[in-house]
Amino acid sequence: MVNFDTYCIDRRNPTPSEYYLYLEEVDSCCPKCGAPFSITKAGRYVKGCEIAHVFPNSPTPAEKVMLRDVRTAGVNSEDPLNKIALCHNCHKFYDDNKSVELYNEMFDLKAAKHRALEAKKLIADKNIESEISKIINRLGIISDSEIGELEKLEYNALKVSEKIEDKYMLMRRRIENEVLLYFTFIRQEFSNLPYGSFSFDTMAFNIRHAYCMLRDKGLDKKEIYKQMTNWFERKTGCDVEACQIMVSFFVQDCEIYEELSK
Ligand SMILES: [Zn+2]
């Protein structure tokens, strides 16, 4: 049960640092409708974003009854965990149409955005071996005729379905296709690297470590896949689709995800 006397405190404007946090959490556009936060009016840039309370800081008597048993985040209403950046329209709609359903949606949205940002920061400092970049780059330029000549993985060697459950079916099918097409090629590329220049085991350990950090942070499989892809992209500067194929390689190679319990 929410303790309104301790949780709801006077409104406090965000500090500049908190403002960056709110913008970064939602990639600088409204997480409800996608509206950009940097807008122009009469040729001038104006702020298109407002910082909203997920749980109201001064609830009306009706809101106190409606929201008395919901989940809250942070120590009080001014905690950054209880605030989210929204466009003006979505902020107004949320404040004017409060319901338990809308509240729970906003609560989950904020939690997911915050978790994703924390995950991104968690692995941001971890480096990726330059050899991975070289191979990801190769994936980006390989021609159709070269692909046709590649040795493909046998379908019965696929391990992806043993690690990804049905609720991620679309992602699983895509990973399986990428693994069937590229797994053998990528493995060959790694084994063709000059002897002594690179340790596959060390690299695999580092990838596994990054995966475990994300898993232990509570991210689901889809979020983990997305964070790993974005991490590869940021660190290597390579094409995002090629980075995705490399993440799929590590799913098949067992660094990412565990086998499902039967
Ligand atoms: Zn909006």
Side-chain angles (χ1 to χ4, degrees):
M1 202 162 169
V2 181
N3 185 336
F4 297 101
D5 293 335
T6 55
Y7 190 76
C8 298
I9 64 169
D10 288 344
R11 178 182 297 271
R12 180 176 66 74
N13 285 332
T15 64
S17 314
E18 285 169 354
Y19 212 83
Y20 284 125
L21 165 81
Y22 300 131
L23 294 186
E24 196 179 359
E25 254 177 10
V26 296
D27 291 327
S28 295
C29 59
C30 178
K32 289 297 286 181
C33 72
F37 284 159
S38 157
I39 53 176
T40 43
K41 269 187 185 162
R44 298 183 60 179
Y45 286 110
V46 294
K47 193 172 77 173
C49 124
E50 298 177 0
I51 307 303
H53 289 87
V54 178
F55 192 94
N57 76 309
S58 53
T60 63
E63 285 175 340
K64 282 188 174 181
V65 175
M66 184 202 304
L67 301 175
R68 66 176 179 229
D69 291 323
V70 297
R71 300 159 293 168
T72 55
V75 290
N76 57 48
S77 59
E78 298 313 294
D79 194 308
L81 291 174
N82 186 48
K83 294 184 181 180
I84 185 166
L86 297 175
C87 74
H88 171 73
N89 290 344
C90 291
H91 188 183
K92 186 164 174 14
F93 182 84
Y94 182 60
D95 282 355
D96 293 349
N97 296 276
K98 201 72 94 257
S99 67
V100 172
E101 193 185 1
L102 265 186
Y103 175 82
N104 282 334
E105 256 177 43
M106 193 62 82
F107 184 91
D108 290 338
L109 178 65
K110 164 69 188 187
K113 294 290 178 191
H114 188 73
R115 198 167 53 236
L117 178 60
E118 289 293 297
K120 177 179 154 189
K121 289 195 272 188
L122 200 61
I123 56 172
D125 294 339
K126 284 182 75 67
N127 285 324
I128 286 176
E129 282 76 1
S130 58
E131 286 76 7
I132 296 188
S133 310
K134 289 179 200 155
I135 298 174
I136 295 177
N137 267 326
R138 280 272 291 139
L139 282 168
I141 55 168
I142 187 168
S143 68
D144 284 351
S145 60
E146 276 181 287
I147 286 180
E149 289 163 12
L150 293 179
E151 186 192 335
K152 308 290 189 306
L153 191 75
E154 294 288 332
Y155 188 81
N156 58 14
L158 270 179
K159 294 179 186 163
V160 180
S161 63
E162 294 162 15
K163 303 160 129 207
I164 302 177
E165 48 273 64
D166 288 350
K167 69 174 173 172
Y168 306 108
M169 201 185 295
L170 285 178
M171 180 177 86
R172 187 175 67 201
R173 273 188 215 127
R174 185 176 46 70
I175 295 176
E176 282 185 338
N177 284 330
E178 289 173 356
V179 166
L180 286 172
L181 201 53
Y182 296 106
F183 183 81
T184 311
F185 167 74
I186 294 174
R187 201 164 50 184
Q188 272 169 7
E189 289 287 306
F190 276 123
S191 60
N192 288 343
L193 290 168
Y195 183 76
S197 69
F198 162 81
S199 159
F200 187 89
D201 289 346
T202 305
M203 177 202 66
F205 176 84
N206 288 336
I207 299 291
R208 176 80 188 162
H209 185 227
Y211 158 70
C212 290
M213 288 167 86
L214 297 176
R215 179 200 61 193
D216 295 348
K217 194 80 191 163
L219 269 69
D220 70 25
K221 288 184 182 172
K222 203 167 171 179
E223 291 171 323
I224 289 173
Y225 191 92
K226 190 175 165 197
Q227 288 296 336
M228 299 284 297
T229 305
N230 292 347
W231 174 50
F232 278 12
E233 189 191 9
R234 280 195 304 273
K235 289 288 176 186
T236 65
C238 295
D239 178 85
V240 66
E241 282 166 288
C243 292
Q244 194 174 278
I245 293 169
M246 187 57 90
V247 176
S248 298
F249 170 86
F250 287 113
V251 172
Q252 169 73 13
D253 203 54
C254 295
E255 282 75 27
I256 300 175
Y257 306 146
E258 285 82 21
E259 211 172 300
L260 297 168
S261 46
K262 299 209 168 98

